[in-house]
Amino acid sequence: MPDRGGGPPTGPRIRVGRPSRRVRTLLMTLGVLAVLAMAFVMFAGFWTDWLWYRSVEYSSVFTTTLWTKIGLFAVFGLLMATAVGVNIWLAHRLRPPLSAMSLEQQSLDRYRMGIAPYKKWVLLAITALVGLIAGASATGQWKTWLQWVNGVPFGQKDPQFQMDVSFYAFDLPWYRFLLGFGFAAAVLSLIAAALTHYLYGGLRITSPGARATAAATGHLSVLLGLFVSLKAVAYWLDRYGLAVKSSDFKATGNWTGLRYVDANAYLPAKTILFCIAVICALLFFATLWRRTWQLPVIGFGLMVLSAILIGGLYPAIVQKFQVQPNEQAKESPYIQKNIDATRKAYGIDKATPEDYAGRGDPNRKAQQRADATTAASYRVVDSNVVSPAFQQLQQERKYYQFPATLDVDRYPGPDGKPQDTVIGLRELDIEGIPKRNWINDHFTYTHGYGAIAAKGTSVITDPNKGTVGSPDFTESGMPTSGQLKKYEQRIYYGEKTQQYSIVGGPQKELDYEASTGPTKYTSYQGKSGVSLSSALNRAAYAVAFGEPQILYSGAVGEGSKILYNRTPKERVEAVAPWLTIDGDAYPAVVEGRIQWIVDAYTTTNGYPYASRTTLGDTTTDSLTTNQRAVVAQQNQVNYIRNSVKATVDAYDGSVKLYQWDTEDPVLKTWMKAFPGTVKAKDDISPELRSHLRYPQDMFKVQRELLTRYHVTEPEQFYSGSDAWQVPDDPTNKGTSVVPPYYLSLKMPGEKEQKFSLTTTFTPAGRPNLGAFMAVDADANSKDYGSIRLLRVTGTVQGPSQVQSELNGVPEVATFVRDLRGTDSDIEYGNLLTIPLDGGFLYVEPVYARGGSANYPLLKKVAVAYGGGKPVFKDSLPEALDAAFATTGERPPETTPPPRDGTSPPTTPPATGDAAVKAAVEDVLKAYEESTEVLKKDPTDREAYGRAQDKLDAALDRLAAAQGRPRPSQSASP
């Protein structure tokens, strides 16, 4: 149209329209490339995982897991999409032919008109979205599905419902998932249908007349009926859920299973609510004929009211007026069920405390000294302390390292008999590489070299053989040599090996640098690793690892393979994702190879009546802070078995899983799900079996449970009068509990030493020794796994008291003063406790660190026996001689060791009127302190125990001052 205005001429018009064909082509190309890049990133993760599983020969684990997840995603995604989509379609189909002429409907007309051209696409988008979300959520239940479909019976029934334990462990979790999915489908369908009815006039909020059409009423009522039906099913399953329900029970703390109120109030309440929910659901379905919500709404209201009154108020009344007035009597049968189930679930059902005096006969010193020689292989080389000595003496190069905590194993000595040995691998330390770059980090420095071992029971004493007090190595050097047989020394897989390496290609690897002679180079010949010969694999790993040089570097070529997932824990977790892995893998030289031995557990939290424990909390001790890993930090379980022993070859990374517990139904279930992945127990070679041991984390879980569950009588369990606790580590400045110690020893009644795992207990809130626990840790022993519990019946010093008294020995003060004069300091080793002739022998190595040798050197050994004063000598034989030559039982009139760890007076008690008067004043004062403690905090057992000790001590002094024996039971003044 010509410009009819009279304005000034305008400039050229800017034409706004579709972009040119070239621009459109460029944008389309960029979009396609972006989609392809995203797709390749996703493909790279999938492809590299598949290649890795194939390289370790566990591709069946990958495919079984993958197809299970795909199946769950497809089935439950499709079910959810169908449920929501069908209800949207049905609500649209049931829409009224004409909309009411109201402001509400006129405003909705705009939305209806806007959606009309895209109704099919909107329906597809909504159903696809909910289907994707539901399918993705269902994939997380792959373990639950596999356990349900492959579940093996336990052969044990719960005491309430007489259902096999497998129902709670395998079936109930799957039923709960299905129920949760059903609730989600019902709610989403209800919301989608209601919105569709509202959009098309089937539901009205502000319009006059009926609020809903008959069709909308019937449709929504059926959905509500399905929801209430699912609630009825939930009430029925809740009945069984009571057997695995966790709750707080003030008498015992954590509690699992039914209590009196559950069996006599909640259980009948759930049954009644189930019946009410069924009736309510039928009323909703009846609206298909009655077309009114009056009865269903009334029924739903009654169900909610019943849930409050029957499911909440009634149990509270029963608890308040029936249980609390006589709680112990009411709860005793249920406590007994909890005790029996917990002891069975944790494998401690055969651990029965044996009474043990704890104090030896003072008239048998000579015999005790003779027996002490063979009572144990005293491990004076503490594996938790001597790692710096290994590092200093055997590191050889800065790019090698040892773990902070070494491992304890058994190897044949010169006489052919097994001896306790401290062992550690010389692993690669990438931070110590002289020149850091991509080639050095991933091609040149690829592996550690050699296993270093030392005697666990002795150190160097001859200055001609080395520094006095340093470890006496039985395998050392570069390459190593010694008592170990010839073996493959290269360590490509280890606890400290976190980085990936590319080996076997054009680039040579540094093998080792000997003290004399040329540097040795090598090229990896092992079967592990993924080939990088193809461009596809290189591209996939370049994307997966975020390192483009993998794709184009000349150092990657024919024969190149990439090694990753190199820690034993990572490899076992990857090939057996259904196992819980112990926090400490340990190395052993077996049949010419270094094998990492990994203990693995099968667990469940569905064992009825068994109390739950959090593995991360239970397995924490003074060594897990910065030295060794904690198993399964937040994993809560109430059943555990060390069902699998796994090995990882330190050279080729091959993983083997061996069935260890042949009776475990959880392992049998997983073996059905993943056939062929676990080898038979008989396939374990004799040499490998000789290095298997009882796992520490299993032991720590059991000892924590035994602090309460050593008691089998419900009345005593309820009162908590015989509760124990794991003592804090007296050699550590923190407040973490003492770790268990591997030690070869003779338990009472045994004629030969057995390789054992040991720990001590103290009474709850008191420092004196309460019990001693040892488990046969030798896999070749017929009694492997048998637990011995010695309950101390006398008053015996606990570890903290012995340590406190040792610190007060004059020789120790002199030793510390002399050390600090040479810029050195004292470092205490493991405080070992050994039963001997009715008493307990404490042995503790003492190290000096600093000065010319900046690593721990064993300088002294402390020994205490039978409550005697600790002795502090240059060697273990001297200390044992001194302990049994000069000390015996404390005199009967001497004050028992107080709970605060301080040493009681050892001078003879004074007599006379003045002494009696002073003793009476002490008794009155101690009694007042006890009373004040009770008034201040009646639950503070520790403070009350200390006050009672002071009172007992005062009564002892009064009796001694009066020249009469102390009565067995003290009376309050």
Side-chain angles (χ1 to χ4, degrees):
M1 180 180 291
D3 185 4
R4 298 184 181 183
T10 60
R13 291 185 180 181
I14 300 177
R15 186 175 180 181
V16 179
R18 297 179 64 187
S20 66
R21 179 177 296 176
R22 179 179 298 176
V23 174
R24 292 200 305 272
T25 303
L26 177 62
L27 292 174
M28 186 176 297
T29 302
L30 291 175
V32 170
L33 290 175
V35 171
L36 289 176
M38 292 176 61
F40 188 76
V41 169
M42 297 173 62
F43 168 78
F46 164 80
W47 185 243
T48 53
D49 284 347
W50 161 248
L51 291 173
W52 186 87
Y53 275 96
R54 192 174 64 176
S55 73
V56 294
E57 300 179 354
Y58 280 89
S59 54
S60 63
V61 175
F62 179 81
T63 54
T64 299
T65 305
L66 177 65
W67 285 115
T68 302
K69 290 180 178 180
I70 290 174
L72 291 172
F73 178 88
V75 170
F76 287 96
L78 186 61
L79 285 174
M80 183 65 77
T82 301
V84 174
V86 166
N87 279 284
I88 292 175
W89 173 82
L90 187 59
H92 178 265
R93 185 179 178 84
L94 296 176
R95 69 189 184 280
L98 296 173
S99 302
M101 298 303 295
S102 64
L103 292 176
E104 180 185 18
Q105 292 302 314
Q106 289 176 11
S107 64
L108 290 174
D109 278 340
R110 295 198 302 268
Y111 297 104
R112 289 194 286 264
M113 292 174 63
I115 292 174
Y118 311 105
K119 283 192 291 187
K120 290 184 179 179
W121 292 107
V122 171
L123 178 62
L124 287 174
I126 292 173
T127 54
L129 179 62
V130 297
L132 287 172
I133 295 173
S137 176
T139 59
Q141 300 295 322
W142 67 272
K143 292 182 182 180
T144 308
W145 160 259
L146 288 176
Q147 285 185 307
W148 179 69
V149 78
N150 296 288
V152 172
F154 275 65
Q156 305 164 29
K157 297 182 182 296
D158 78 282
Q160 181 67 41
F161 301 101
Q162 295 301 305
M163 302 287 287
D164 191 90
V165 173
S166 62
F167 171 79
Y168 301 94
F170 306 141
D171 299 344
L172 190 59
W174 178 248
Y175 296 152
R176 288 192 181 279
F177 164 70
L178 292 179
L179 188 63
F181 178 84
F183 275 124
V187 170
L188 289 175
S189 298
L190 184 62
I191 293 173
L195 289 174
T196 305
H197 280 300
Y198 175 68
L199 181 63
Y200 288 97
L203 288 179
R204 306 183 187 92
I205 298 176
T206 61
S207 301
R211 299 297 185 190
T213 63
T217 299
H219 184 195
L220 297 179
S221 294
V222 169
L223 290 176
L224 286 169
L226 288 173
F227 179 86
V228 177
S229 298
L230 291 172
K231 188 62 180 173
V233 175
Y235 281 134
W236 188 257
L237 288 181
D238 284 347
R239 299 168 68 254
Y240 298 105
L242 293 173
V244 291
K245 183 192 73 171
S246 287
S247 60
D248 290 328
F249 188 21
K250 66 180 181 180
T252 60
N254 177 37
W255 175 273
T256 300
L258 286 84
R259 289 156 49 193
Y260 181 89
V261 69
D262 297 311
N264 295 278
Y266 279 111
L267 187 57
K270 296 293 183 183
T271 305
I272 294 171
L273 289 172
F274 164 77
C275 297
I276 293 174
V278 170
I279 295 171
C280 185
L282 293 175
L283 292 176
F284 273 108
F285 291 138
T287 56
L288 286 172
W289 297 274
R290 293 181 56 85
R291 303 295 183 180
T292 175
W293 280 349
Q294 185 176 6
L295 285 177
V297 169
I298 293 173
F300 188 77
L302 288 174
M303 187 180 76
V304 173
L305 183 62
S306 299
I308 296 172
L309 296 178
I310 302 175
L313 185 59
Y314 173 61
I317 293 172
V318 170
Q319 179 69 23
K320 180 71 175 177
F321 295 102
Q322 290 190 32
V323 178
Q324 288 185 5
N326 192 15
E327 189 173 51
Q328 178 175 317
K330 294 290 187 183
E331 300 290 9
S332 284
Y334 304 96
I335 293 175
Q336 187 65 63
K337 295 175 184 178
N338 176 264
I339 292 173
D340 295 340
T342 302
R343 287 171 61 86
K344 185 73 173 178
Y346 290 95
I348 56 177
D349 49 317
K350 296 180 181 178
T352 303
E354 311 166 28
D355 287 344
Y356 188 77
R359 285 176 174 269
D361 187 346
N363 299 316
R364 287 172 45 84
K365 293 179 184 177
Q367 185 60 48
Q368 290 162 354
R369 174 62 185 93
D371 293 342
T373 303
T374 59
S377 296
Y378 303 96
R379 191 165 44 76
V380 293
V381 178
D382 186 356
S383 59
N384 310 318
V385 173
V386 299
S387 177
F390 275 53
Q391 192 81 2
Q392 184 84 7
L393 300 174
Q394 294 295 325
Q395 182 187 21
E396 299 291 346
R397 296 292 184 268
K398 284 187 63 178
Y399 47 83
Y400 293 128
Q401 62 179 324
F402 292 93
T405 297
L406 302 174
D407 289 289
V408 178
D409 203 345
R410 293 143 297 154
Y411 287 89
D415 57 358
K417 294 182 179 180
Q419 65 179 12
D420 291 0
T421 302
V422 176
I423 187 170
L425 298 191
R426 189 192 283 126
E427 293 191 45
L428 180 67
D429 180 7
I430 195 170
E431 299 297 331
I433 295 176
K435 186 177 181 181
R436 298 290 304 279
N437 54 53
W438 187 64
I439 294 295
N440 278 347
D441 287 359
H442 300 288
F443 291 82
T444 305
Y445 296 88
T446 59
H447 59 276
Y449 208 94
I452 306 300
K455 295 179 181 178
T457 55
S458 63
V459 295
I460 290 177
T461 56
D462 184 352
N464 296 321
K465 295 182 179 180
T467 305
V468 174
S470 61
D472 188 358
F473 293 106
T474 57
E475 185 78 16
S476 60
M478 174 68 84
T480 68
S481 60
Q483 292 182 9
L484 299 181
K485 298 177 183 178
K486 184 179 179 181
Y487 65 99
E488 172 58 66
Q489 299 194 17
R490 299 173 184 88
I491 302 163
Y492 283 88
Y493 296 88
E495 289 182 301
K496 302 294 183 181
T497 313
Q498 304 287 345
Q499 78 283 359
Y500 69 88
S501 289
I502 298 176
V503 298
Q507 185 73 31
K508 289 293 184 181
E509 310 164 45
L510 173 69
D511 200 16
Y512 65 89
E513 296 181 75
S515 302
T516 59
T519 299
K520 303 293 184 180
Y521 291 89
T522 188
S523 184
Y524 183 67
Q525 301 298 317
K527 63 181 181 179
S528 66
V530 178
S531 173
L532 295 178
S533 298
S534 73
L536 175 62
N537 288 3
R538 289 200 300 272
Y541 279 101
V543 171
F545 288 178
E547 181 48 72
Q549 292 188 79
I550 295 177
L551 182 60
Y552 58 77
S553 174
V556 182
E558 190 65 29
S560 292
K561 295 195 292 186
I562 186 168
L563 312 180
Y564 62 104
N565 287 351
R566 297 172 70 182
T567 68
K569 189 172 188 291
E570 283 178 321
R571 296 182 79 78
V572 176
E573 280 180 333
V575 304
W578 33 272
L579 290 174
T580 299
I581 309 303
D582 190 90
D584 183 33
Y586 61 97
V589 178
V590 179
E591 298 168 352
R593 312 280 286 202
I594 298 175
Q595 299 283 353
W596 288 100
I597 299 175
V598 184
D599 285 288
Y601 309 105
T602 48
T603 63
T604 180
N605 66 352
Y607 197 101
Y609 275 101
S611 290
R612 290 182 172 87
T613 186
T614 303
L615 292 181
D617 296 337
T618 307
T619 58
T620 298
D621 59 31
S622 62
L623 299 182
T624 56
T625 52
N626 58 3
Q627 298 188 46
R628 66 185 298 271
V630 174
V631 57
Q633 185 67 47
Q634 300 300 324
N635 196 6
Q636 265 210 340
V637 305
N638 67 352
Y639 172 93
I640 185 170
R641 290 290 184 272
N642 176 214
S643 52
V644 171
K645 301 285 189 180
T647 62
V648 177
D649 193 291
Y651 181 71
D652 65 20
S654 58
V655 182
K656 294 179 181 177
L657 308 176
Y658 297 98
Q659 182 182 16
W660 185 247
D661 188 333
T662 57
E663 303 299 323
D664 178 30
V666 181
L667 178 60
K668 290 179 180 179
T669 295
W670 287 119
M671 290 174 67
K672 282 182 63 179
F674 295 96
T677 57
V678 181
K679 297 178 179 294
K681 186 175 184 178
D682 292 340
D683 291 341
I684 301 176
S685 67
E687 188 172 348
L688 174 59
R689 184 184 287 266
S690 69
H691 292 281
L692 300 182
R693 66 189 192 189
Y694 201 82
Q696 292 187 61
D697 285 334
M698 180 78 175
F699 183 80
K700 286 189 281 188
V701 170
Q702 290 176 321
R703 75 171 179 179
E704 181 63 32
L705 269 295
L706 281 170
T707 58
R708 290 180 294 146
Y709 286 94
H710 66 279
V711 176
T712 57
E713 297 297 327
E715 294 79 10
Q716 190 178 14
F717 187 90
Y718 177 88
S719 68
S721 59
D722 193 24
W724 299 338
Q725 66 185 22
V726 181
D728 290 339
D729 188 350
T731 66
N732 192 291
K733 294 181 180 179
T735 56
S736 298
V737 298
V738 63
Y741 295 126
Y742 286 106
L743 184 69
S744 294
L745 57 79
K746 285 194 291 190
M747 289 291 286
E750 295 177 352
K751 296 181 179 180
E752 294 184 353
Q753 294 181 12
K754 289 184 178 180
F755 187 67
S756 305
L757 190 55
T758 66
T759 192
T760 55
F761 297 101
T762 59
R766 302 180 64 181
N768 54 289
L769 192 63
F772 177 83
M773 174 182 174
V775 64
D776 189 336
D778 185 354
N780 281 319
S781 171
K782 62 180 177 59
D783 296 321
Y784 171 85
S786 61
I787 297 173
R788 293 280 303 274
L789 273 178
L790 304 181
R791 187 206 308 269
V792 181
T793 57
T795 303
V796 180
Q797 288 177 303
S800 63
Q801 293 174 313
V802 171
Q803 187 68 49
S804 177
E805 191 165 350
L806 174 62
N807 293 338
V809 172
E811 291 91 335
V812 175
T814 303
F815 179 71
V816 172
R817 184 179 64 248
D818 293 344
L819 281 180
R820 289 175 177 167
T822 59
D823 199 25
S824 301
D825 207 349
I826 191 171
E827 190 165 346
Y828 290 109
N830 38 220
L831 180 58
L832 304 176
T833 308
I834 298 98
L836 175 65
D837 192 36
F840 284 100
L841 179 67
Y842 287 100
V843 176
E844 182 174 28
V846 180
Y847 295 83
R849 181 168 184 171
S852 58
N854 192 24
Y855 57 89
L857 294 172
L858 182 66
K859 292 294 186 180
K860 298 283 185 177
V861 177
V863 170
Y865 179 75
K869 191 177 182 65
V871 295
F872 191 67
K873 298 298 178 182
D874 293 334
S875 67
L876 177 61
E878 290 181 63
L880 290 173
D881 288 341
F884 290 103
T886 61
T887 61
E889 291 287 309
R890 292 180 184 274
E893 69 275 13
T894 305
T895 304
R899 292 179 174 88
D900 57 4
T902 59
S903 302
T906 57
T907 56
T911 59
D913 293 341
V916 171
K917 183 177 180 182
V920 169
E921 291 177 355
D922 289 344
V923 169
L924 292 173
K925 183 179 179 181
Y927 177 71
E928 290 173 359
E929 288 182 7
S930 297
T931 306
E932 287 298 321
V933 167
L934 281 176
K935 288 181 180 179
K936 185 176 180 181
D937 186 359
T939 64
D940 191 345
R941 294 181 178 178
E942 186 172 354
Y944 182 68
R946 289 194 297 267
Q948 284 293 298
D949 275 340
K950 290 182 180 179
L951 179 57
D952 287 341
L955 288 169
D956 280 335
R957 291 194 294 276
L958 177 59
Q962 293 174 335
R964 58 179 176 83
R966 163 77 192 279
S968 58
Q969 298 291 332
S970 61
S972 300

